[in-house]
Amino acid sequence: NWGRLGGEAKNLLPYLGPNKMRDCFCTINLDQEEVYRTQVVEKSLSPFFSEEFYFEIPRTFQYLSFYVYDKNVLQRDLRIGKVAIKKEDLCNHSGKETWFSLQPVDSNSEVQGKVHLELKLNELITENGTVCQQLVVHIMACHGLPLINGQSCDPYATVSLVGPSRDDSFLSSCRKKIFKNFLSSSYTRKSQFQVEEEDIEKLEIRIDLWNNGNLVQDIFLGEIKVPVNVLRNDSSHQAWYLLQPRDNGNKSSKTDDLGSLRLNICYTEDYVLPSEYYGPLKTLLLKSPDVQPISASAAYILGEICRDKNDAVLPLVRLLLHHDKLVPFATAVAELDLKDTQDANTIFRGNSLATRCLDEMMKIVGGHYLKVTLKPILDEICESSKSCEIDPIKLKEGDNVENNKENLRYYVDKLFSTIVKSSMSCPTVMCDTFYSLRQMATQRFPNDPHVQYSAVSSFVFLRFFAVAVVSPHTFHLRPHHPDPQTIRTLTLISKTIQTLGSWGSLSKSKSSFKETFMCEFFKMFQEEGYIIAVKKFLDEISSTETKESSGTSEPVHLKEGEMYKRAQGRTRIGKKNFKKRWFCLTSRELTYHKQPGKDAIYTIPVKNILAVEKLEESSFNKKNMFQVIHMEKPLYVQANNCVEANEWIDVLCRVSRCNQNRLSFYHPSAYLNGNWLCCLETSENALGCQPCTAGVPADIQIDIDEDRETERIYSLFTLSLLKLQKMEEACGTIAVYQGPQKEPDDYSNFVIEDSVTTFKTIQQIKSIIEKLDEPHEKYRKKRSSSAKYGSKENPIVGKAS
């Protein structure tokens, strides 16, 4: 499952006081678990978040939810409202921009998880000799209950029998039976009721789950309602039920009053088949760079027929990059762009398949390059409180515009100097691509001496460095969103840097700024030295000469972030046993630190990692845990949410998969109090009791799973079959019709340079897709028949209050 989203809110409920504005942010949640948080938009009732979050969904869920919060510095952040979309409804909204009305948030509507329930109806002879029915309610287990304040639940249940001839609520004897840290355990107590046979059709069992609050108020976790008549044909009923929200009886404000949230959601669900199924499709796609013309290739056709080119670009770039085919493909499609470019000043400024492919390539391969180049300066900017505002309208009281201008110039100069001296760290794939772009641009505009530079600067300055400066958290250069003042500083720096790059490469005498204050500021940089530095840098990164770079010997930065780790060598279980640490993974080692930028407290060489696996919740009663098994004791780590945990496991597995001595078996639980909790073996060195989940492929490239990417491309072709059919018909029309084209036909929407070659490629695509459809259909039938309604995988959705 994949999701991509971005949005804005409008008409939020204002404050009642004179200051009606709010400081808002939005979170994305899988059920109750937050997986992403936007930046704070200050003083607005219509905040524009304009953020994309692209993530793999690592677990089952009921709702994808979006909460709009009002930021409160001194107290708890206030939830203004929410949008909750059922998983089965996501496909209806995928690929569309939709405005949703915000719904009220209250504790009785926030539920997740499921309950395993058993009902039995026994005949019972009373003391006076009459026969009546005994109803036995057995809560056997729960699964997927929410974390409360970051910790597992301490829940209990109330069981009620409700009907017209009984009291509204009859509480069972297990009303306050509390199970500490209860998430997926067996609930052993049973509730018993005596019922009259004629009332069975009218009665209903209601089970409410609560979290014991100890010194604070108990929290409602959800309820299920089951009619007793499920037993009419059988004396026993057993099934899993999804917990439901309930109406607390309070009249909340009208939903329209809370405002609206605009979302653009892209949700896909793929089933990845074994590798052998993907050979023909993979071969056809990897031949794309060699197809003449490139517009007749399978990869190009995919970009043409997809409703959103971005959907095609991500798997395509990853697959071609994995097989060293991206540079020739990107070069060929960029040449198509150049044919349509009439003005050298607008070269590669559009949003075409070529520019999107290169953007995505730079994101994937340029992460380490950005880190070594920009991160130290961005850290300095984000951690200082220097004001750099130079817009007279936005100046705060007491600000000195000349001081701010000097601060801004200092940062721009420092950043510019670092960038133009960084060519030795630029990845080879980027250099090879820039070289090709430069050659083609010179051929297309032979009379323009500056186009060889602007062809490269339009990517490396405008689409790479400038974007990373203004949005460092997106490129993992900063752990969190910068505050609004810092974002403003970064925006001003980014504007100046991208103009310096293009101005230096075009040798213009005037800047392109619309704002007067920016034009005035930029005059500081209109010196020959900046132009020379830019050209020298662009020459170096678009050269095919072998670099004496330390790029191959330097470790590649892969991932970093804040997590909790369990203290090494301890046996006592408790919250104090887990400490917050900053983790950093490179291609060489995994380290953790007290804070970002501090010296490492602990280091595990990647070559020493023997396995990376999930850790069962029961080990420490904590969710989202995984273990890094290495030469010493296993390192137990808790991520902040399921998406983060999955990403860490994935990248750690990939970077260590080819290690020697990797384990084939592991322990899914921890070693505590003298034995493994999973298999009860007493020896700490006992062989694992479960097979490791990660295979060991012959060759591996970090962070790219070619089967998954090929499956995604198959799904995109399947979704776009109608457009593929239209393109096929257009090829036939072009081949047959010889007269002048008077009216725009269907095929005018497609780039078809060679109708015969394009037609043949489409025939190959259709044939391969049809062959792949068969195993997918078999899987769908198997899945729909294997998950019985009422099973743990397919629980019953009971009625809500």
Side-chain angles (χ1 to χ4, degrees), residues 289 294 320 325-338 348 353-355 357-358 361 429-441 443:
I294 194 68
L320 293 172
K325 296 281 187 179
L326 183 64
V327 175
F329 177 74
T331 303
V333 291
E335 197 164 12
L336 269 185
D337 276 13
L338 280 172
F348 299 130
L353 179 64
T355 56
C357 280
L358 292 175
M361 177 270 287
V429 176
M430 287 174 63
C431 294
D432 291 346
T433 308
F434 295 152
Y435 173 78
S436 297
L437 296 177
R438 184 175 177 173
Q439 299 303 309
M440 287 190 302
Q443 289 170 12

Side-chain angles (χ1 to χ4, degrees), residues 443-461:
Q443 289 170 12
R444 175 71 179 85
F445 299 100
N447 299 322
D448 190 326
H450 305 298
V451 74
Q452 59 175 316
Y453 296 112
S454 57
V456 179
S457 69
S458 60
F459 283 102
V460 76
F461 277 103

Side-chain angles (χ1 to χ4, degrees), residues 313-439:
V313 163
L314 185 63
L316 201 54
V317 167
R318 286 171 170 266
L319 185 67
L320 293 172
L321 198 56
H322 187 78
H323 290 275
D324 297 324
K325 296 281 187 179
L326 183 64
V327 175
F329 177 74
T331 303
V333 291
E335 197 164 12
L336 269 185
D337 276 13
L338 280 172
K339 285 180 183 176
D340 295 331
T341 305
Q342 303 305 317
D343 183 357
N345 291 328
T346 62
I347 193 167
F348 299 130
R349 293 296 175 96
N351 210 7
S352 64
L353 179 64
T355 56
R356 290 181 192 189
C357 280
L358 292 175
D359 286 348
E360 196 56 46
M361 177 270 287
M362 290 190 296
K363 273 185 191 173
I364 293 170
V365 305
H368 179 62
Y369 181 31
L370 286 175
K371 183 173 166 55
V372 298
T373 308
L374 301 185
K375 194 173 188 320
I377 304 162
L378 291 175
D379 286 343
E380 181 185 338
I381 295 166
C382 293
E383 287 161 17
S384 73
S385 55
K386 288 182 181 178
S387 175
C388 295
E389 184 56 74
I390 57 173
D391 183 352
I393 298 170
K394 294 185 177 181
L395 285 172
K396 294 178 182 175
E397 192 176 340
D399 270 2
N400 183 313
V401 70
E402 290 304 317
N403 286 349
N404 290 2
K405 199 177 285 187
E406 282 306 310
N407 291 340
L408 186 59
R409 178 171 187 174
Y410 166 77
Y411 285 141
V412 170
D413 268 331
K414 193 167 183 180
L415 205 60
F416 176 81
S417 175
T418 307
I419 289 171
V420 295
K421 291 175 183 174
S422 70
S423 61
M424 298 303 264
S425 300
C426 187
T428 307
V429 176
M430 287 174 63
C431 294
D432 291 346
T433 308
F434 295 152
Y435 173 78
S436 297
L437 296 177
R438 184 175 177 173
Q439 299 303 309

Side-chain angles (χ1 to χ4, degrees), residues 352-588:
S352 64
L353 179 64
T355 56
R356 290 181 192 189
C357 280
L358 292 175
D359 286 348
E360 196 56 46
M361 177 270 287
M362 290 190 296
K363 273 185 191 173
I364 293 170
V365 305
H368 179 62
Y369 181 31
L370 286 175
K371 183 173 166 55
V372 298
T373 308
L374 301 185
K375 194 173 188 320
I377 304 162
L378 291 175
D379 286 343
E380 181 185 338
I381 295 166
C382 293
E383 287 161 17
S384 73
S385 55
K386 288 182 181 178
S387 175
C388 295
E389 184 56 74
I390 57 173
D391 183 352
I393 298 170
K394 294 185 177 181
L395 285 172
K396 294 178 182 175
E397 192 176 340
D399 270 2
N400 183 313
V401 70
E402 290 304 317
N403 286 349
N404 290 2
K405 199 177 285 187
E406 282 306 310
N407 291 340
L408 186 59
R409 178 171 187 174
Y410 166 77
Y411 285 141
V412 170
D413 268 331
K414 193 167 183 180
L415 205 60
F416 176 81
S417 175
T418 307
I419 289 171
V420 295
K421 291 175 183 174
S422 70
S423 61
M424 298 303 264
S425 300
C426 187
T428 307
V429 176
M430 287 174 63
C431 294
D432 291 346
T433 308
F434 295 152
Y435 173 78
S436 297
L437 296 177
R438 184 175 177 173
Q439 299 303 309
M440 287 190 302
T442 306
Q443 289 170 12
R444 175 71 179 85
F445 299 100
N447 299 322
D448 190 326
H450 305 298
V451 74
Q452 59 175 316
Y453 296 112
S454 57
V456 179
S457 69
S458 60
F459 283 102
V460 76
F461 277 103
L462 188 66
R463 295 173 175 269
F464 187 59
F465 285 122
V467 179
V469 167
V470 83
S471 185
H473 55 284
T474 307
F475 290 84
H476 307 293
L477 298 171
R478 292 289 299 169
H480 307 295
H481 288 280
D483 60 73
Q485 180 182 309
T486 306
I487 287 174
R488 175 63 179 162
T489 299
L490 295 173
T491 302
L492 293 171
I493 295 169
S494 177
K495 280 183 171 186
T496 314
I497 289 293
Q498 69 185 47
T499 308
L500 264 174
S502 60
W503 180 80
S505 63
L506 295 173
S507 192
K508 287 184 177 178
S509 57
K510 292 182 180 179
S511 69
S512 56
F513 290 114
K514 294 175 184 176
E515 307 101 326
T516 308
F517 65 88
M518 285 302 294
C519 289
E520 286 299 312
F521 174 68
F522 193 72
K523 286 178 182 177
M524 295 180 174
F525 303 94
Q526 288 179 318
E527 298 172 5
E528 189 68 22
Y530 289 99
I531 296 176
I532 294 169
V534 168
K535 286 185 174 179
K536 182 174 181 290
F537 169 67
L538 295 174
D539 278 334
E540 289 168 351
I541 62 168
S542 57
S543 167
T544 56
E545 291 176 17
T546 306
K547 291 184 290 180
E548 296 175 8
S549 166
S550 56
T552 52
S553 60
E554 281 184 8
V556 179
H557 174 261
L558 299 174
K559 189 169 176 61
E560 62 181 334
E562 203 171 65
M563 294 189 289
Y564 293 84
K565 64 96 192 171
R566 182 176 181 258
Q568 296 284 299
R570 301 270 185 91
T571 54
R572 181 171 55 86
I573 303 176
K575 189 177 178 182
K576 290 179 182 177
N577 232 9
F578 284 82
K579 294 183 178 177
K580 190 185 289 185
R581 292 288 180 257
W582 185 261
F583 284 77
C584 182
L585 175 67
T586 70
S587 53
R588 195 175 293 167

Side-chain angles (χ1 to χ4, degrees), residues 32 216 231 233 408 464-465 515 693 789:
Q32 302 294 291
V216 296
L231 295 166
N233 298 322
L408 186 59
F464 187 59
F465 285 122
E515 307 101 326
T693 55
Y789 192 49

Side-chain angles (χ1 to χ4, degrees), residues 653-673:
C653 280
R654 292 187 185 286
V655 77
S656 63
R657 265 185 185 167
C658 294
N659 287 354
Q660 292 183 345
N661 304 319
R662 274 190 64 89
L663 297 179
S664 301
F665 291 86
Y666 78 106
H667 292 283
S669 285
Y671 183 80
L672 293 172
N673 302 324

